Amino acid sequence: MDLLEYMRSQNDMTQAEWERTFEEEAKEILVLLAGGSGAGKMNGFWDVSHYFIAYVDCQTGALHTGDGRIVYPVSDEESDAGGILDRFRREAVYRLKARKRIPHKIPEGVTASSQNQFLIVEVLEEDAPCPALEEVLAEYRRPVVLNDEELGELSLDKDLDMFEGGISWRGEDIDISLEVDSSSEDTWTAAVAAMKQMMTDQDRWDRDMRAFAARELTQLACEWRESADEEVPEITEESFAQRIELTSIAMDPDGSFSAYFDDDDMFFGHCVVVYGTLADGVASAVMAG
């Protein structure tokens, strides 16, 4: 089963089918929440997730570190009422009775945290004391900074799995983000190397990204121009390529990148995003935002 088929099969589950993917017996755990939250529309209900970075099995006392999720279903009515992501606080320890996800085969591209899930049966305690998890939290809060001679200072946002910083690109300051696995320093090294490779040939990349975006989006920009309330200059591929302004680049360890350009109001304040890889060049360009 490929990734798309897998995602469709998950989203097609009813609530009863989804709950059967968890063990029948509930266990008591202490869980440290960090890394955000989210909700996905399923077949007749919403799957709400809050991310954790460690938990303790209360029966054995064993500490388990690694990304995971506590999950629970909510109805469409509850979702429409709002606030479904406000039930739990980040960087807090909760004592829960919960059912562990039954291990199953997943295709490449599915995050490990999707396997490491607990379905909440009952919330037993908030701000539960747990020295082991308090140590994990202290380490999680410790700032992680990379200093590179070319890229400068890069700070790790552990919730987003992303190093953030800024560079000079053809004489102008832009933001950069390196999307990594916080727990794998190999991905840090690879993302830094990929960004530096792009910087080495920045004149060519800048030219190629602008030219590709102009070819793909000039006609759309002309259509938007026709709906403007005031008279605006004619847009050609040449002027489009000159007017857009690079503001940031997001780089993956494998050399995939997203480059974000200011649209100079050609799309009334939306942005232009160019996608590609260092190996194969620019692949697509869209208006977004």
Side-chain angles (χ1 to χ4, degrees):
M1 182 183 297
D2 64 21
L3 179 59
L4 182 58
E5 290 175 327
Y6 175 81
M7 297 305 296
R8 284 174 175 168
S9 70
Q10 297 297 297
N11 293 338
D12 286 343
M13 286 184 186
T14 65
Q15 183 173 331
E17 291 171 331
W18 177 71
E19 291 185 4
R20 284 197 292 272
T21 66
F22 296 85
E23 297 175 353
E24 290 188 12
E25 184 178 353
K27 63 169 64 178
E28 193 171 311
I29 62 172
L30 288 160
V31 61
L32 171 59
L33 300 187
S37 57
K41 185 71 171 72
M42 305 285 279
N43 184 2
F45 70 104
W46 288 80
D47 168 9
V48 181
S49 302
H50 297 267
Y51 292 83
F52 65 76
I53 56 174
Y55 75 92
V56 169
D57 185 319
C58 293
Q59 182 176 356
T60 65
L63 170 67
H64 302 266
T65 57
D67 294 340
R69 310 175 191 177
I70 56 171
V71 300
Y72 54 94
V74 302
S75 66
D76 288 337
E77 291 75 19
E78 290 173 299
S79 175
D80 292 341
I84 63 173
L85 301 181
D86 300 333
R87 182 175 176 183
F88 294 93
R89 294 187 297 107
R90 290 168 57 181
E91 298 191 8
V93 175
Y94 288 82
R95 183 184 296 272
L96 306 173
K97 183 180 288 186
R99 296 161 52 192
K100 186 170 177 57
R101 184 78 183 265
I102 299 170
H104 64 285
K105 188 175 181 179
I106 58 175
E108 185 177 352
V110 177
T111 60
S113 65
S114 67
Q115 284 278 65
N116 192 22
Q117 292 190 27
F118 287 90
L119 174 62
I120 299 171
V121 175
E122 184 180 359
V123 179
L124 302 174
E125 185 179 0
E126 181 179 351
D127 291 324
C130 180
L133 291 180
E134 289 165 9
E135 287 185 18
V136 173
L137 179 58
E139 177 61 22
Y140 179 80
R141 287 173 170 169
R142 183 179 64 83
V144 175
V145 177
L146 289 179
N147 285 288
D148 183 84
E149 188 173 328
E150 294 178 52
L151 302 184
E153 184 176 285
L154 300 165
S155 299
L156 178 63
D157 186 323
K158 296 178 182 178
D159 285 347
L160 298 179
D161 275 348
M162 180 184 297
F163 278 99
E164 299 174 316
I167 60 171
S168 176
W169 180 272
R170 303 183 73 244
E172 299 292 337
D173 292 336
I174 67 166
D175 296 324
I176 60 169
S177 56
L178 308 181
E179 301 183 10
V180 300
D181 178 346
S182 296
S183 62
S184 171
E185 294 192 18
D186 287 344
T187 66
W188 307 2
T189 302
V192 167
M195 189 67 244
K196 290 166 72 170
Q197 182 181 338
M198 191 176 196
M199 283 186 65
T200 299
D201 202 7
Q202 58 188 264
D203 287 341
R204 178 180 66 84
W205 281 110
D206 193 85
R207 181 181 64 250
D208 289 352
M209 290 190 295
R210 290 175 183 274
F212 192 101
R215 287 195 302 271
E216 293 292 306
L217 299 174
T218 296
Q219 180 59 43
L220 181 61
C222 290
E223 294 171 6
W224 279 62
R225 173 179 175 268
E226 292 174 1
S227 64
D229 293 332
E230 56 188 41
E231 194 168 326
V232 295
E234 180 183 358
I235 301 172
T236 65
E237 285 192 16
E238 182 179 3
S239 67
F240 185 103
Q242 292 174 345
R243 288 175 63 178
I244 58 175
E245 180 181 352
L246 184 64
T247 59
S248 65
I249 299 173
M251 181 67 72
D252 288 352
D254 65 0
S256 302
F257 65 83
S258 309
Y260 297 82
F261 291 80
D262 181 273
D263 73 328
D264 194 29
D265 282 335
M266 288 185 288
F267 296 115
F268 306 157
H270 292 264
C271 69
V272 171
V273 188
V274 175
Y275 301 97
T277 68
L278 296 181
D280 300 322
V282 179
S284 62
V286 299
M287 180 271 291

